[in-house]
Amino acid sequence: MKTFLSTIKFDYLQRVRSYSFLITLCISLAVAYTFVPEPNANYSTIRIADHVGYYNAAWFGYVTAIMTSIFLSLIGFYLVNGSINKDLTTKIGHITASTRITNFKYLLSKVLSNFLVLVTIVFIVFLMSIILFYLYNDGYSLKILDFLIPYLLVPIPAMFFIAVLAIIFEIVFRKYSVLQNIGFFFLFSALVFSANNDKSQFALDPFGTKIVMHQMEETVRSIIKVDEKTDLSIGYAIGNIKETKKFEFNGISFSTVFILSRFIWVLLGMMMIMTVTPLFHRFSIKEKLRSISLTPKILKTQNNQEIIVSELKKSTTNYGIISLVKTELMLLFRKGKRWLWIINIIGVISLAIAPINIAYPLILPVLWFLQVHRLSEISSKEIYNNVHHITFTSYKPLSRLLSSQLIAGTILMLSLASPLIIRLFITFDLLSNAHIIIGSIFIVLLASTSGILTKGKKLFEIVFFMITYANMNKIPFTDYFGGLDHNNNYIVSLTIITFVLGMIAFLTRRHQLKN
């Protein structure tokens, strides 16, 4: 038992001390700050018809709990995913495999450490929501139970479910990180968008948000006295705030069935871990080694004549960037399994034949997101593969190596979007083409800058998933490729942000080279 608890403790401490956790925590706090808009804000997060709740303790507690459950489930998977693979890379897993700890205990320790990392963020967001209550409340007093109850029953069990999913996906798909990322993306979307207001089905909601939203809707319906279903909006709605009406929301009384269901979700997660335990490799993956002859090969010419060095062909030096771009493109195309390109080809064909109003705002961001495993290591693979000592001492690593990586990534993204670019060019929609070009450069620079700053790929995977999911929900300020209607100033702003990202990437890499 002592070994089991020590494994959880040190794994947890190792994660919370990482740069990716610190950056994710900062992002979480920045987003949590917007969960409940300030009184004069021009947006809303949870809105039922034209109504939002008075800023009492119940509204703050339940709204922030709902938003935390959805938001942190969204990015939490990418934060904690890859823990087993990290143990494999650092050889810690091989040491663990030599101990008496069973496979189930090891996987359970990983689940619990994942869970503790996510709960740590939930707890900090919980404290922040109380602080915001004191800043924004409409003269109401603090009732701590209005914060504790929704947080304990809504996001906490959801975080355990996400922690379990991260381990299961890693065991089932093993080295296929792209399948883990894409699989969770579609699973999360299916779970969130599966609208079901049947009271008997609330227990089947792993995020625990539907019962709260249903009660909010019922409260508004009783106020406006209509029988038909009201329009409930959850997410960031921009504008029309002046037309908002206030209503009193005093929380809900969770049924015994729902409370039991939250514990059942935890038990179900434990059972899922037990089910996949036989599939765990326990770090005994057999690597195929090429047979190497121990006898040195002796180069001989015909008739055993000696080799005249001066007659050998002289090597040539090429300081250009084209050869490096070709190499980086080859690395990008060969990243992952070849059959994954079948999905990419289907996406490219869809861009060519689907209506523009579907291909542009929906298919393009999903197709680009499918390249997350290629872009996430575009400027950090040298450090990950421990060859940065060689590559950083190459000739002009900034103007040649880093530039070639950015050019290759941009060429890849534009190649995938080429059918849409051609269609827009035929219709003389040059502004949209400019948006796509700037967007491809932006996302490549975002991947490069994130990798250079954190020396890893976690941050970009989290941010790229958030941006893609926001674009699927048509949130305007996350539209980096111009899929929605914007004025001419938008492309100027996006160009400035892209330029700033490029400056950060080059300046940070220059600092790393000096050190």
Side-chain angles (χ1 to χ4, degrees), residues 293-344:
S293 176
L294 297 178
T295 305
K297 296 181 179 180
I298 302 176
L299 182 63
K300 294 183 180 180
T301 60
Q302 293 181 353
N303 302 324
N304 293 327
Q305 294 179 355
E306 295 182 358
I307 299 176
I308 302 175
V309 178
S310 60
E311 294 181 356
L312 294 177
K313 185 177 181 180
K314 294 181 180 180
S315 60
T316 58
T317 304
N318 183 5
Y319 294 107
I321 197 176
I322 297 178
S323 59
L324 286 178
V325 173
K326 291 180 180 178
T327 302
E328 291 294 336
L329 273 174
M330 193 68 67
L331 291 174
L332 289 174
F333 276 99
R334 290 181 176 178
K335 179 75 174 177
K337 293 295 181 180
R338 292 183 179 179
W339 59 265
L340 292 174
W341 276 102
I342 298 177
I343 302 177
N344 290 333

Side-chain angles (χ1 to χ4, degrees), residues 141-154:
S141 60
L142 174 65
K143 297 179 181 179
I144 194 64
L145 288 180
D146 287 335
F147 284 87
L148 285 175
I149 292 176
Y151 269 87
L152 288 174
L153 293 180
V154 178

Side-chain angles (χ1 to χ4, degrees), residues 46-54 56 58-59 62 199 202 210-232 245-253:
I46 293 183
R47 182 186 179 107
I48 305 95
D50 293 328
H51 292 71
V52 295
Y54 285 107
N56 56 12
W59 180 259
Y62 283 87
K199 295 182 180 181
F202 289 149
K210 293 180 181 178
I211 185 174
V212 181
M213 292 187 290
H214 174 76
Q215 185 61 41
M216 290 180 177
E217 189 177 345
E218 288 292 320
T219 304
V220 173
R221 186 182 297 153
S222 64
I223 294 174
I224 60 180
K225 296 180 180 180
V226 293
D227 296 329
E228 64 271 10
K229 182 179 178 181
T230 56
D231 182 19
L232 186 148
K245 301 175 183 178
K246 294 280 189 174
F247 74 98
E248 189 82 20
F249 179 74
N250 296 313
I252 66 175
S253 297

Side-chain angles (χ1 to χ4, degrees), residues 190-203:
L191 291 174
V192 170
F193 290 117
S194 58
N196 194 337
N197 291 324
D198 188 356
K199 295 182 180 181
S200 62
Q201 302 296 321
F202 289 149

Side-chain angles (χ1 to χ4, degrees), residues 77-117:
F77 176 87
Y78 295 93
L79 175 64
V80 299
N81 187 32
S83 58
I84 297 177
N85 185 59
K86 189 170 185 179
D87 283 354
L88 178 64
T89 304
T90 58
K91 307 301 181 183
I92 294 176
H94 298 83
I95 299 174
T96 305
S98 63
T99 63
R100 293 183 178 181
I101 188 171
T102 62
N103 287 350
F104 175 73
K105 285 185 177 180
Y106 171 78
L107 296 179
L108 183 60
S109 68
K110 288 296 178 182
V111 169
L112 293 178
S113 62
N114 289 348
F115 176 65
L116 289 175
V117 169

Side-chain angles (χ1 to χ4, degrees), residues 157-228:
M159 294 307 101
F160 189 85
F161 179 68
I162 295 298
V164 170
L165 282 183
I167 298 300
I168 291 177
F169 272 66
E170 195 170 1
I171 293 175
V172 173
F173 296 111
R174 297 196 179 185
K175 294 183 178 180
Y176 305 120
S177 59
V178 60
L179 293 181
Q180 299 174 31
N181 295 331
I182 297 173
F184 178 76
F185 176 81
F186 287 107
L187 177 61
F188 178 84
S189 302
L191 291 174
V192 170
F193 290 117
S194 58
N196 194 337
N197 291 324
D198 188 356
K199 295 182 180 181
S200 62
Q201 302 296 321
F202 289 149
L204 301 179
D205 176 22
F207 306 115
T209 59
K210 293 180 181 178
I211 185 174
V212 181
M213 292 187 290
H214 174 76
Q215 185 61 41
M216 290 180 177
E217 189 177 345
E218 288 292 320
T219 304
V220 173
R221 186 182 297 153
S222 64
I223 294 174
I224 60 180
K225 296 180 180 180
V226 293
D227 296 329
E228 64 271 10

